[in-house]
Amino acid sequence: MKFARPIAWLACAATAAVLAVAPASPAHAQASAAWRTQAAYTQQELDQMLAPIALYPDALIAQVLMAATYPLEVVQAARFVQRNPGLGGTALERAVAPMGWDPSVAALTQFPSVLAMMGEELDWTRRLGEAFLAQREQLMDTVQALRAKAYAAGSLRSTEQQRVIVQERVVLIEPWQPGLLWVPYYNPLIVYGTGGGRRTRRSCGCRRSPTARRTFRRSIRWASSGGR
C-alpha cells in the first residue's frame, strides 16, 4: 500500500469555495460570454457530468474544475506524465514548471490517474470546463447535492483517508492529515443510491488503481496521489 504523496503546493480545501465566486480571467470571461449564447446544460446533464468527481476531496475537485477549462493543456500534461512514468513528487513538479501550463493542470500531474481520465474523456472534460465557466454557481450547487445524496445513502463518511464535515447544507471533504491526499474511485451508480449518474455511459475516474483498496460498503476504493 502506498501512502499519499505530499501535496503542500496543492490548493487548500477552501479553494473549491473560492472558485465558486472567483472572477474569471479575460480569456475565460470571453469564453463564458460566448457559451452563454448557447443553450445551458440541464440539471440532469450536470448531475451526470459531475457524478464521477463530486466525491473528490475539495482541494482536488477544485483543481479538476479549473483544469477542465484548459483541455489542450490537460492532454499535453497527460502525455507528458505518460512519457515520464519515473517522475514524481518534487522532481515532477520541477519538470513541469517550465511548461507554462495553468497551475491547476500542473497540480494534477501529481495525480496521473485523474489526469489520464480527463485526457481520455476529452469531450467530458470540455463540457465540464464549459459548465464551470458558464454555470459556475449551479455546478457547485450540483456538487453539494450529489454529496448530500451520497451521505444520505451511507456511502460518504469519514474514513482514515478523509474527513467529511457536514455544516448545515454544505458537505466538505478534507484529508485527515494535512498535505496528504487520497483519490477515491467509485461507481456513481452505487454511491448515490438512486439518481446520481444513473444514465452516465461511462464512469469517468472510476477505474481501479493498482494502489487502491476496498473500504466501506463496496462503494469507494482509494488510491494514493501517485496511483497510476
Side-chain angles (χ1 to χ4, degrees):
M1 171 65 63
K2 292 184 180 179
F3 288 97
R5 298 177 181 179
I7 54 162
W9 49 272
L10 189 64
C12 66
T15 304
V18 173
L19 286 176
V21 295
S25 67
H28 278 169
Q30 292 178 6
S32 178
W35 180 250
R36 288 181 189 279
T37 64
Q38 305 179 40
Y41 288 110
T42 66
Q43 185 59 58
Q44 183 181 27
E45 289 173 325
L46 290 176
D47 288 343
Q48 296 169 7
M49 192 185 305
L50 289 161
I53 62 171
L55 304 190
Y56 280 11
D58 293 347
L60 181 56
I61 193 174
Q63 300 295 0
V64 169
L65 293 174
M66 183 59 73
T69 66
Y70 298 91
L72 179 58
E73 292 185 8
V74 166
V75 172
Q76 293 171 344
R79 290 174 179 172
F80 177 86
V81 171
Q82 187 176 25
R83 291 195 303 266
N84 297 275
L87 288 178
T90 302
L92 178 57
E93 185 180 355
R94 289 174 178 171
V96 165
M99 300 300 178
W101 297 325
D102 184 79
S104 62
V105 177
L108 289 181
T109 60
Q110 298 285 342
F111 301 87
S113 59
V114 175
L115 191 61
M117 173 269 292
M118 295 179 70
E120 293 168 3
E121 300 286 348
L122 193 57
D123 180 62
W124 171 82
T125 299
R126 286 197 183 104
R127 291 187 293 113
L128 182 65
E130 291 168 349
F132 180 64
L133 289 175
Q135 298 169 250
R136 189 173 305 192
E137 184 175 349
Q138 186 180 2
L139 182 146
M140 300 306 291
D141 287 345
T142 300
V143 169
Q144 287 300 319
L146 287 169
R147 287 181 174 185
K149 278 188 176 182
Y151 190 84
S155 302
L156 182 61
R157 290 290 187 270
S158 293
T159 67
E160 61 186 75
Q161 292 87 7
Q162 69 180 18
R163 180 173 58 171
V164 176
I165 305 171
V166 180
Q167 299 177 341
E168 295 183 354
R169 299 178 62 182
V170 177
V171 181
L172 303 176
I173 304 176
E174 302 175 351
W176 269 112
Q177 186 172 350
L180 295 178
L181 191 66
W182 292 80
V183 183
Y185 290 80
Y186 58 89
N187 187 338
L189 298 174
I190 297 175
V191 297
Y192 299 113
T194 59
R198 177 179 295 275
R199 296 175 61 83
T200 302
R201 288 184 300 173
R202 182 173 178 183
S203 299
C204 305
C206 300
R207 297 169 298 170
R208 179 74 181 274
S209 166
T211 61
R213 67 169 178 161
R214 184 180 299 270
T215 55
F216 48 87
R217 289 193 57 182
R218 306 190 307 278
S219 299
I220 298 180
R221 302 174 188 272
W222 300 92
S224 67
S225 59
R228 295 179 184 274

